[in-house]
Amino acid sequence: MVADVVHIDRAAGPTGRDVHGALQLDGISLRVLTPNAEVLQAVVGMLVPACSVAEPTAAVQWTLRVEEHHTRAGAGAGGDLFQGRLFLELPYGGRRLAVVGMDDGVMRLVAAYRRGALPVVMEVDARQQVTRLLVTPGDAVGLRWADYLARVFFASRLLGSGWRMLHASAVAVDGSALVMLAGRHGGKSTLAHRAVRDLGAQFLADDLVLIGPGGTVVGWPTRVAVPAQLAGDCDGRRERRVVAGVVRERVLFTPAQHRATLGVEYSPPVPLGAVVIVEGSGAAEAGVRAEAADAQTLDRAVAGAADVPQQLLYVSDPLGLMGGPRLADQAAGTAPPVGLLAGVPATVLRVAVEQLPQASVWQALEGVVSGLGRRR
């Protein structure tokens, strides 16, 4: 291991003072410190309103300090920062982290958010319960590691206490969560964005949600994919795929871009109100139908939605970056989810996926949606 793999310019920030904010979720609190108020706003905005921002009512369990510094990292043979070193690589995008040193109990890592990105430096002091993230000034991509670290902090602790992560979409209607379950490319994202547009619902997530043992639903979007038919001509990164012979075009946003560009209102955590299971197979000629889901159908849909091994990698803390529970302690968050949504009104919505952007889904789900506020 090369001792001087990373050099840090430790010059003071422009003001010499830190600004700070506290993020809270379910009694867990993370303090964010930085010399730059704009950086603080960018970091805090990533997880709001899933997390509230206020002076902590519970003891702060960890501090994330984000600093802008010019860093230079020594590369291995061939100019590859990670070549010849043991590193952790996450799926979807190739994010890499490598431990490069341990000095006086402080673990030092170098990380790249994606191939070709500028490296960032992380320093983890478990005794002081502080993680420092050092990003090159102006590096918006590197700053997204702050979002990753904050998500690891909260979600690893929630999963360790019995919360579950589901591959699902969700919106809030009259203060209660409407959760949509479907298979991969099954239309749950389209239904969530239609609820925002057609019903004035508040957005929770279009891909991942966390559900607590008491039925609290927290949106956990890392990115938002809006169907092109619903996004219009707004700016955003466009993605075009062919799924089961059907052309699928989406516009991709970060949550902050989603709020700013489309003016979407996000919901804080809310109690679970109802579940809609989207079933598109064999529905193309039958129009739109809705029927009550029995317990077996609901359990089967929940089991499929809970099968998220790769997504769980992003909210686990195997390197101890944010002092999270050991992987073995997160077993409560990966146990079979039988009965997770038991007792919640559940409906099967039968509609072809290609028809979802225009189909009369709310007429079919009128009783489900109108009854949400009365179930609180």
Side-chain angles (χ1 to χ4, degrees), residues 202-357:
Q202 292 179 299
F203 185 80
L204 280 160
D206 67 351
D207 191 57
L208 292 175
V209 300
L210 290 168
I211 298 183
T216 299
V217 180
V218 175
W220 211 246
T222 56
R223 71 169 189 176
V224 181
V226 182
Q229 302 99 310
L230 304 180
D233 297 327
C234 64
D235 293 332
R237 183 164 65 90
R238 294 190 174 253
E239 176 187 80
R240 189 175 186 272
R241 293 181 179 178
V242 178
V243 180
V246 178
V247 176
R248 186 186 194 208
E249 186 173 358
R250 305 184 299 174
V251 185
L252 307 181
F253 301 96
T254 66
Q257 290 169 340
H258 186 221
R259 293 192 293 264
T261 303
L262 296 181
V264 176
E265 184 178 358
Y266 276 44
S267 171
V270 290
L272 179 61
V275 178
V276 172
I277 303 167
V278 185
E279 176 56 67
S281 60
E285 304 300 326
V288 183
R289 294 175 294 150
E291 59 193 48
D294 58 31
Q296 184 177 11
T297 299
L298 179 59
D299 279 344
R300 185 167 57 248
V302 171
D307 185 18
V308 287
Q310 291 185 324
Q311 289 86 344
L312 288 172
L313 291 176
Y314 284 89
V315 293
S316 299
D317 197 5
L319 298 177
L321 300 177
M322 299 297 289
R326 298 172 301 174
L327 293 181
D329 294 331
Q330 293 187 33
T334 57
V338 176
L340 177 65
L341 304 183
V344 177
T347 301
V348 178
L349 176 68
R350 301 191 186 279
V351 56
V353 173
E354 60 270 24
Q355 296 175 357
L356 259 178

Side-chain angles (χ1 to χ4, degrees), residues 31-223:
R31 186 179 298 279
V32 181
L33 295 175
T34 175
N36 188 324
E38 293 182 358
V39 170
L40 176 66
Q41 184 60 40
V43 173
V44 169
M46 292 173 183
L47 277 171
V48 175
C51 299
S52 60
V53 181
E55 285 302 314
T57 56
V60 173
Q61 285 98 341
W62 205 265
T63 296
L64 173 62
R65 181 176 175 84
V66 184
E67 302 177 23
E68 292 183 306
H69 284 292
H70 291 285
T71 66
R72 67 174 184 269
D80 186 346
L81 182 67
F82 298 93
Q83 186 170 343
R85 299 191 177 98
L86 183 64
F87 60 87
L88 173 67
E89 182 170 9
L90 298 172
Y92 304 128
R95 294 170 210 178
R96 292 181 172 187
L97 304 100
V99 178
V100 297
M102 182 74 76
D103 300 314
D104 296 327
V106 178
M107 179 172 62
R108 180 171 294 176
L109 304 94
V110 64
Y113 197 78
R114 58 184 179 225
R115 300 292 176 88
L118 291 172
V120 303
V121 177
M122 300 178 193
E123 295 180 343
V124 183
D125 188 338
R127 290 178 297 186
Q128 298 296 321
Q129 297 182 311
V130 174
T131 297
R132 297 178 69 227
L133 173 65
L134 306 163
V135 181
T136 300
D139 180 14
V141 173
L143 189 61
R144 295 192 67 182
W145 279 111
D147 179 45
Y148 167 81
L149 291 170
R151 290 178 186 277
V152 163
F153 171 81
F154 284 107
S156 64
R157 287 163 171 79
L158 293 176
L159 291 171
S161 63
W163 285 63
R164 297 304 305 259
M165 174 173 280
L166 296 183
H167 189 204
S169 66
V171 296
V173 179
D174 293 332
S176 294
L178 178 64
V179 174
M180 280 77 77
L181 305 178
R184 186 171 175 81
H185 307 304
K188 57 188 176 296
S189 177
T190 300
L191 198 57
H193 293 296
R194 280 205 58 186
V196 169
R197 184 193 68 180
D198 301 343
L199 305 178
Q202 292 179 299
F203 185 80
L204 280 160
D206 67 351
D207 191 57
L208 292 175
V209 300
L210 290 168
I211 298 183
T216 299
V217 180
V218 175
W220 211 246
T222 56
R223 71 169 189 176

